[in-house]
C-alpha cells in the first residue's frame, strides 16, 4: 500500500478513549423503563384459536380462488388494427458497459 505506518501501543488511548466517551454519552441518554406486574401478565386461559378439522382441505393443491371471477384482459381494438412495426432502433451503438472512454492507447 501507499499508506504510512503509525506505531501505537496496544489498547491505544487514541482509539479506546473515543469508544469510552461514546459509551458514556449513550449511558446518559438511557432511560429506564418501569414495568409493573400488570404489564408482564400473560393470560394463559384467554381465547384459544378455533381449529376445526372439517374446514381444512384434504388436498393442499385445492384453492378457493376461481380464475373465472377475475376480469378478462382488455383488448385494445385500435392497436389490433395497426400493423406490427418493430419499435427497436436499428442503429447499433458499440460502447462498453461503463460508457465510452476518451483514453487513447
Amino acid at each position: 500500500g501507499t499508506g504510512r505506518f503509525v506505531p501505537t501501543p496496544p489498547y491505544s488511548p487514541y482509539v479506546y478513549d473515543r469508544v469510552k466517551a461514546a459509551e458514556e454519552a449513550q449511558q446518559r441518554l438511557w432511560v429506564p423503563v418501569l414495568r409493573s406486574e400488570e404489564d408482564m401478565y400473560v393470560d394463559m386461559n384467554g381465547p384459544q384459536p378455533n381449529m376445526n378439522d372439517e374446514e381444512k382441505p384434504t388436498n393442499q393443491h385445492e384453492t378457493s380462488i376461481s380464475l373465472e371471477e377475475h376480469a378478462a384482459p382488455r383488448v385494445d381494438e385500435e392497436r389490433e388494427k395497426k400493423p406490427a412495426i418493430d419499435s427497436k432502433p436499428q442503429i447499433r451503438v458499440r460502447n462498453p458497459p461503463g460508457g465510452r472512454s476518451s483514453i487513447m492507447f
Side-chain angles (χ1 to χ4, degrees), residues 9-89:
Y11 303 104
S12 171
Y14 176 76
V15 175
Y16 287 95
D17 286 347
R18 288 184 181 199
V19 171
K20 186 175 180 181
E23 288 176 352
E24 289 173 355
Q26 190 68 24
Q27 283 286 10
R28 282 185 254 131
L29 296 175
W30 184 73
V31 177
V33 178
L34 301 175
R35 299 279 185 195
S36 66
E37 283 291 324
E38 294 174 3
D39 293 340
M40 303 304 287
Y41 179 71
V42 176
D43 186 14
M44 298 303 286
N45 297 326
Q48 300 293 323
N50 187 8
M51 302 292 270
N52 292 336
D53 289 335
E54 294 107 28
E55 294 178 12
K56 293 181 183 177
T58 56
N59 185 356
Q60 293 295 320
H61 294 286
E62 293 176 5
T63 181
S64 61
I65 299 172
S66 173
L67 296 177
E68 286 77 29
E69 295 175 1
H70 297 287
R74 190 176 65 180
V75 177
D76 191 5
E77 293 178 12
E78 289 183 27
R79 192 172 221 181
E80 292 287 325
K81 293 177 186 176
K82 293 181 181 178
I85 299 174
D86 189 17
S87 63
K88 294 181 180 178

